[in-house]
Amino acid sequence: MRDRRKEVLALCVCLTLGACSSVGSYHGPVQCAPYARQVSGVNLRGRAASWWWEARGHYQRSHRPQPGSVLVFRASSRIPDGHVSVVRRLRTRRRIEVDHANWVGGRIEHSVPVEDISPRGDWSLVRVWWAPAGSMGRRAYPTYGFILPMR
């Protein structure tokens, strides 16, 4: 267990510092932030949860999803560094599909359903598809909102 933690920490440092040549060429678990940065073009660094604040003054932020935008999850006990996903498709006013990495076992997933369950419909609380169960996850995850890439 301790060796696995060291391995994950080394990967995080490698990807955060840009020491790995690219997400696609690394043969191990892929972290969400480097993947989202590569796919979206939103050039932010650090913990996924910090992206919302790092984007201020550099990227437009919104509480409405748009294809290509980055959904930023807040840090929580389940995801201590937060999480980021790239919006691929709008399905309904309260359901989107995202591409992201490391939600399940360090791998990349495409067209993953995410639904807004916030009382005000502002995407501040979501549920995410859980592939191992083949259904929407039961846990609710708080989010900041969406970072819009520069066009």
Side-chain angles (χ1 to χ4, degrees):
M1 180 75 150
R2 187 171 293 284
D3 287 338
R4 179 73 177 137
R5 286 183 187 160
K6 286 181 184 178
E7 195 176 296
V8 170
L9 179 59
L11 173 63
C12 290
V13 170
C14 170
L15 292 171
T16 300
L17 296 176
C20 300
S21 59
S22 75
V23 173
S25 67
Y26 184 77
H27 301 293
V30 179
Q31 299 299 311
C32 65
Y35 176 77
R37 181 172 43 253
Q38 182 180 36
V39 172
S40 71
V42 171
N43 191 19
L44 296 172
R45 307 242 176 232
R47 293 176 45 232
S50 73
W51 280 32
W52 184 254
W53 304 111
E54 296 295 325
R56 189 174 183 192
H58 301 284
Y59 295 93
Q60 188 177 356
R61 300 180 300 174
S62 175
H63 293 284
R64 293 187 188 153
Q66 293 180 24
S69 63
V70 176
L71 175 58
V72 182
F73 290 69
R74 294 175 181 262
S76 69
S77 60
R78 300 286 301 168
I79 48 174
D81 290 326
H83 184 73
V84 286
S85 296
V86 180
V87 177
R88 284 295 159 224
R89 185 175 305 140
L90 308 178
R91 293 307 234 165
T92 68
R93 192 173 64 80
R94 287 198 168 225
R95 188 170 269 213
I96 60 177
E97 290 180 4
V98 302
D99 292 349
H100 61 183
N102 202 25
W103 191 256
V104 178
R107 64 179 192 254
I108 296 169
E109 295 178 285
H110 299 282
S111 300
V112 176
V114 176
E115 66 182 6
D116 173 25
I117 58 169
S118 64
R120 291 179 286 175
D122 62 2
W123 289 89
S124 59
L125 194 64
V126 301
R127 287 191 319 156
V128 180
W129 180 264
W130 184 243
S135 64
M136 288 305 288
R138 288 181 278 172
R139 296 193 195 307
Y141 293 93
T143 68
Y144 287 110
F146 301 88
I147 298 171
L148 308 179
M150 291 184 210
R151 303 257 179 226

